[in-house]
Amino acid sequence: MATLYLSLGTNLGNRQNNLDSALTLIAGRVGTVVSASDRIETEPWGFESRNSFMNMAVKVETELSPIEALHATQAIERELGRSEKTVNGQYRDRLIDIDLLMYLSGADAVPVSLNTAELTLPHPLMRQRGFVMKPLLQIAPEFVNP
């Protein structure tokens, strides 16, 4: 069993419903949602939009590997209507965004470091993003980026 921290964000449509739907699918396909932060309203980061974001963080106990969790969350994004991810560093409005922040392995909760073309863990930009860190620290105050 592993612990996975995720960041969820949405700035299109019914944002509350988008997050609720994502949480339901995460619980059904990724693992047990152990805790969830408050939802916070934030301005877009890395691009301009008139649509503000609603963000939150969740802690999930999972049996999936990091790559399996990535594939599962990407499938959830597609199912909820996200048609494309960031391309060439160009961010866009989105119905849902689910980012893997950190993956802790085993009973000792050892942080996994991974750097592949498909996935980097811990998330390389999370410390630069207040919309990630504020909710993450709410559910993981002992959190330390290795």
Side-chain angles (χ1 to χ4, degrees), residues 114-126:
L114 186 65
N115 190 359
T116 70
E118 195 171 18
L119 177 63
T120 301
L121 288 173
H123 191 290
L125 298 176
M126 69 181 177

Side-chain angles (χ1 to χ4, degrees), residues 7-134:
S7 175
L8 284 67
T10 174
N11 77 329
L12 293 175
N14 183 327
R15 298 172 306 154
Q16 291 279 356
N17 187 59
N18 295 345
L19 293 175
D20 290 342
S21 297
L23 285 171
T24 298
L25 293 171
I26 289 166
R29 299 181 190 172
V30 179
T32 302
V33 176
V34 176
S35 59
S37 72
D38 293 335
R39 295 160 190 219
I40 63 168
E41 188 108 10
T42 63
E43 292 302 312
W45 185 91
F47 74 106
E48 291 191 28
S49 174
R50 60 187 172 130
N51 304 312
S52 61
F53 275 82
M54 186 166 287
N55 295 95
M56 67 183 301
V58 295
K59 177 181 178 180
V60 179
E61 296 296 327
T62 186
E63 293 186 15
L64 300 180
S65 71
I67 295 297
E68 290 169 332
L70 175 67
H71 293 166
T73 58
Q74 288 175 335
I76 291 168
E77 289 176 332
R78 287 189 300 274
E79 185 173 328
L80 294 178
R82 181 145 188 205
S83 58
E84 56 187 33
K85 294 290 276 184
T86 301
V87 179
N88 297 324
Q90 296 297 312
Y91 297 106
R92 298 183 173 102
D93 292 317
R94 60 205 73 149
L95 286 166
I96 192 70
D97 184 39
I98 306 170
D99 287 336
L100 278 66
L101 300 177
M102 187 157 197
Y103 186 97
L104 308 175
S105 179
D108 294 334
V110 176
V112 171
S113 291
L114 186 65
N115 190 359
T116 70
E118 195 171 18
L119 177 63
T120 301
L121 288 173
H123 191 290
L125 298 176
M126 69 181 177
R127 290 248 177 226
Q128 298 173 22
R129 299 174 171 176
F131 66 87
V132 170
M133 294 307 294
K134 184 176 179 181

